[in-house]
Amino acid sequence: MEIVYVYQKKRKEFGKQTLFSDKLAELTNEILPDPSLAKNFIERVECNVETQSLPDKSEHEVNTESFTFINRGILHLQGGWPKDVDPSDVEHTIRYRKKIEKDEEYIRSVKGMGDIMEHCIKQNNAIDIYEEYFIDETDTLVTEEPIAKSLNVYKDPNPVKRCASYVSWYPEDGTKIAVAYSVLQFQKMPQNMCLDSYIWDVENPNMPDLTLTPTSPLVCLKYNPKDPHILVGGCYNGLVSYWDTRKGSYPVDSSAIEKSHRDPVYNVQWVQSKSGAEFFSVSTDGQALWWDIRKLSEPTENLWLDPEKNGRIVGGTVLDFETTMPTKFMVGSETGSVFMCNKKAKNPSEKITHIYPGHHGPVYALQRNPFFLKNFLTVGDWTAKIWAEDVKSSIMSTKYSNSYLTDGCWSPTRPSVFYTGKMDGTLDAWDFIFKQNEPTLTIQVCLVCNSPIHCVKVQEHGKLLAATARDGSTTILEVSDLLSKIQPNEKIIFSQMLEREAKREKTLESSAREKRIKAAQKRPNSGSLKPVGTDLNELIKASEEDFYKCIEEDQWEREKMLEKEAKLNAALNAN
């Protein structure tokens, strides 16, 4: 049997093409015969000799019978679940797993079966004969300086530059990013402005991989974690739309204007469900709406953000939903508060279960720690704070920055690392195991114009970081191993740190509560009295005097500092 294999190669891979042409012969040099040299030559009988520049090779072929392998899998659902648990219901299975994992017999059973499984695995192990067993191993703690380098910058290709308001990583391998572009300043949108948003290939910053064309500029945009071909976006006019990248640039479906939000949709989150088609959105109109992409004509549920239950609606700015907690979700508001909500509450008034008084201004970022789900991060005003669910006040926070904070997120690979973006165009990396009073690394993302950072998102593997800016640019940064690889015992140390700070805050809260009770007991009727009339006017007058006095003292100190600087400059000039 003759074996033939055809090698194919593109013409451009051969290199520069060699071109031959006909040319007449020309004499370049002429050596005339010298009869005196004839005596040095001996005439020889004519002979033929063949030479080969390459060694001789022999060819030997062996044909073996081909064998086809087939892989088949078995999906085991029914046998391992009790009769009262529906294996197709995600909530039932998660609840049953948590119940079993708390049982003491579960740990013993796993250990017993683990020994048998380990014995079977070791039978198929390969031994590295070059491995050095007794080498003096150093500590695996990474001691290098934290660094971050810029890989690519993706700029808005339109002449009218818009803010890159949101970025979402491709869920499988992080080879693409979806960026939403819009102008968020009220009534600052220029006429005939392009409405497109784009999906970029990480390796190609010159041209978008796909264009998304909505009916209104996109404020937020998010990939479906179950199906990476599907994206959902929130528009400036309050609509929500979803795209299927296999079906082109235009949205497959959009919500009806009369059933949608009345303000821009600032955040969307996918919900854990059997179909993988459900999500919910929040807007500054004070509503959180649940949607199903199979029917976007109207929302499936809605929640009015009325924390005081008195009709005063609060605008929402950001959402957080954890798939392992299908009934819980959190909403950050314009007032700086964070609302803990329960989707399964019987009455709408009971859906907001707890309120955390977070920041002085709007909450721009809200995310649970991927390793410790009871702790979450909030970013707003000039600081970032870490909270525990069962504590009313924050347990840790960063120092107040000179510039306003705009966004933040946890590292998916290191439990103690998070990132914050600021209005001055810088991005801070915080590592709370090593430093709490200042950031571990500060990166100037926008080198030219110091444009404010608007959105910060980390890739699933923790190595790449995407930061969008108000000038329409999106920068991909690669961080060093110190910020992306988990350190020895880091999880245990940070867990102990969170528990210690939570206990401290609980102790302070109980102490303050006892003091308030004692003060109320000493003045039993003073709780219902409020300053009125002349007493209120006197209090206002006293507070105004204190305020102006503080301003005068501050101004006097500044004048003294300026005088000292002037004297010092004069002395230097004289020398």
Side-chain angles (χ1 to χ4, degrees):
M1 181 178 67
E2 184 181 3
I3 298 175
V4 178
Y5 187 83
V6 180
Y7 289 89
Q8 294 182 347
K9 198 173 185 182
K10 293 182 179 179
R11 179 62 193 83
K12 63 180 181 181
E13 296 178 0
F14 283 102
K16 187 176 179 181
Q17 184 178 2
T18 304
L19 301 175
F20 296 96
S21 61
D22 295 334
K23 187 177 180 181
L24 297 175
E26 60 177 328
L27 181 65
T28 57
N29 196 4
E30 184 179 5
I31 301 175
L32 298 175
D34 187 358
S36 63
L37 297 177
K39 62 182 180 179
N40 297 330
F41 291 93
I42 300 174
E43 292 186 4
R44 186 178 178 183
V45 180
E46 182 179 351
C47 65
N48 297 323
V49 179
E50 296 179 356
T51 59
Q52 176 67 19
S53 61
L54 297 175
D56 294 334
K57 297 286 185 180
S58 63
E59 184 178 357
H60 182 68
E61 298 176 356
V62 176
N63 293 330
T64 58
E65 185 179 355
S66 61
F67 188 80
T68 305
F69 292 91
I70 298 175
N71 294 326
R72 292 181 179 178
I74 299 175
L75 182 61
H76 180 71
L77 290 177
Q78 299 293 339
W81 301 99
K83 294 181 180 179
D84 57 341
V85 176
D86 183 7
S88 61
D89 191 339
V90 179
E91 294 184 11
H92 284 193
T93 55
I94 291 174
R95 197 178 301 115
Y96 181 74
R97 283 197 191 100
K98 288 183 178 180
K99 179 183 175 182
I100 294 298
E101 288 172 0
K102 292 179 181 178
D103 191 0
E104 295 181 358
E105 190 63 29
Y106 168 77
I107 299 175
R108 296 194 192 97
S109 302
V110 171
K111 285 184 178 179
M113 291 185 291
D115 295 336
I116 301 172
M117 182 61 68
E118 186 179 3
H119 174 71
C120 297
I121 292 173
K122 285 183 177 179
Q123 290 179 346
N124 200 31
N125 274 357
I127 299 174
D128 184 6
I129 63 174
Y130 299 104
E131 182 179 358
E132 298 182 18
Y133 289 96
F134 303 102
I135 191 172
D136 295 332
E137 294 185 0
T138 58
D139 191 3
T140 57
L141 179 68
V142 180
T143 56
E144 63 180 7
E145 288 292 327
I147 58 173
K149 60 181 180 180
S150 176
L151 296 182
N152 282 323
V153 179
Y154 311 84
K155 296 184 178 180
D156 185 5
N158 295 286
V160 179
K161 300 303 177 185
R162 305 161 295 165
C163 170
S165 57
Y166 204 89
V167 62
S168 178
W169 283 94
Y170 192 75
E172 288 186 349
D173 50 6
T175 56
K176 298 178 183 180
I177 54 172
V179 185
Y181 296 89
S182 60
V183 175
L184 299 178
Q185 287 81 6
F186 182 65
Q187 293 185 347
K188 296 288 185 179
M189 195 178 298
Q191 292 183 353
N192 301 324
M193 186 189 75
C194 180
L195 306 179
D196 294 342
S197 293
Y198 304 102
I199 295 176
W200 299 86
D201 191 326
V202 173
E203 301 296 333
N204 183 18
N206 300 319
M207 184 180 297
D209 190 60
L210 181 66
T211 301
L212 304 178
T213 306
T215 56
S216 178
L218 287 178
V219 180
C220 57
L221 185 64
K222 204 148 196 178
Y223 273 106
N224 187 332
K226 286 189 174 182
D227 187 354
H229 297 288
I230 294 178
L231 301 95
V232 65
C235 300
Y236 189 82
N237 62 355
L239 299 181
V240 291
S241 305
Y242 93 92
W243 283 261
D244 191 334
T245 56
R246 296 164 293 191
K247 297 182 180 180
S249 300
Y250 292 94
V252 179
D253 196 7
S254 298
S255 60
I257 189 70
E258 63 272 9
K259 300 288 184 179
S260 303
H261 292 282
R262 270 62 173 174
D263 276 358
V265 181
Y266 282 98
N267 204 245
V268 292
Q269 284 284 348
W270 288 97
V271 178
Q272 176 70 32
S273 61
K274 299 177 186 178
S275 62
E278 298 178 17
F279 68 97
F280 66 119
S281 59
V282 72
S283 171
T284 48
D285 65 351
Q287 289 188 93
L289 301 178
W290 279 261
W291 306 88
D292 192 323
I293 62 174
R294 296 170 296 183
K295 185 183 177 183
L296 281 179
S297 58
E298 60 179 358
T300 57
E301 288 185 61
N302 75 312
L303 169 65
W304 288 99
L305 301 179
D306 184 9
E308 304 297 333
K309 300 177 180 60
N310 56 2
R312 295 181 180 179
I313 307 301
V314 177
T317 54
V318 66
L319 290 169
D320 179 78
F321 178 80
E322 174 58 40
T323 55
T324 58
M325 301 178 180
T327 60
K328 283 186 177 181
F329 66 95
M330 293 188 294
V331 182
S333 68
E334 285 184 312
T335 59
S337 301
V338 176
F339 306 139
M340 180 69 69
C341 305
N342 184 6
K343 187 183 177 184
K344 297 295 183 181
K346 296 180 180 179
N347 299 324
S349 60
E350 298 176 356
K351 286 190 175 182
I352 299 178
T353 58
H354 195 78
I355 302 174
Y356 301 91
H359 297 271
H360 305 300
V363 180
Y364 289 116
L366 173 63
Q367 186 186 7
R368 288 185 184 270
N369 190 301
F371 295 87
F372 308 105
L373 299 179
K374 289 187 177 180
N375 301 98
F376 57 92
L377 171 75
T378 61
V379 174
D381 53 65
W382 299 271
T383 183
K385 296 181 179 181
I386 299 175
W387 304 74
E389 277 191 3
D390 52 352
V391 183
K392 293 182 180 179
S393 57
S394 62
I395 58 175
M396 286 188 285
S397 65
T398 64
K399 67 175 184 179
Y400 276 75
S401 172
N402 294 328
S403 184
Y404 207 80
L405 269 62
T406 55
D407 197 17
C409 63
W410 288 103
S411 169
T413 54
R414 286 201 54 193
S416 64
V417 173
F418 62 92
Y419 302 91
T420 56
K422 297 190 292 187
M423 287 288 288
D424 59 0
T426 60
L427 189 144
D428 291 336
W430 295 84
D431 190 345
F432 262 34
I433 281 186
F434 296 102
K435 287 183 183 180
Q436 292 89 34
N437 57 345
E438 60 182 10
T440 305
L441 177 65
T442 299
I443 312 151
Q444 185 68 45
V445 178
C446 301
L447 299 175
V448 180
C449 57
N450 297 335
S451 181
I453 301 296
H454 205 279
C455 183
V456 179
K457 289 292 180 288
V458 187
Q459 189 196 24
E460 186 179 353
H461 304 296
K463 193 70 175 176
L464 300 181
L465 184 71
T468 66
R470 190 172 293 177
D471 63 353
S473 64
T474 303
T475 306
I476 300 292
L477 301 167
E478 183 180 8
V479 297
S480 59
D481 291 342
L482 182 64
L483 295 173
S484 60
K485 289 187 177 180
I486 192 166
Q487 303 298 302
N489 300 323
E490 177 182 357
K491 195 172 179 181
I492 298 173
I493 295 171
F494 193 58
S495 174
Q496 293 173 351
M497 183 185 297
L498 293 174
E499 291 177 2
R500 183 187 69 234
E501 295 299 325
K503 288 180 180 178
R504 185 176 69 87
E505 288 297 327
K506 288 180 182 178
T507 305
L508 292 174
E509 285 180 6
S510 61
S511 176
R513 193 184 307 112
E514 290 176 1
K515 289 180 180 179
R516 287 195 299 269
I517 292 172
K518 289 180 181 179
Q521 289 175 352
K522 290 180 181 179
R523 300 187 301 274
N525 297 325
S526 61
S528 60
L529 296 177
K530 295 182 180 179
V532 295
T534 57
D535 296 334
L536 180 60
N537 294 330
E538 289 176 0
L539 287 173
I540 293 173
K541 186 177 180 181
S543 62
E544 286 181 351
E545 290 177 356
D546 291 340
F547 175 71
Y548 287 119
K549 185 178 179 182
C550 291
I551 291 176
E552 290 175 358
E553 290 177 356
D554 186 37
Q555 188 175 3
W556 181 73
E557 289 179 0
R558 287 186 180 182
E559 290 176 355
K560 286 185 67 177
M561 289 292 295
L562 292 173
E563 288 178 2
K564 288 182 181 179
E565 289 180 1
K567 290 179 181 179
L568 182 61
N569 292 331
L572 292 173
N573 293 331
N575 294 332

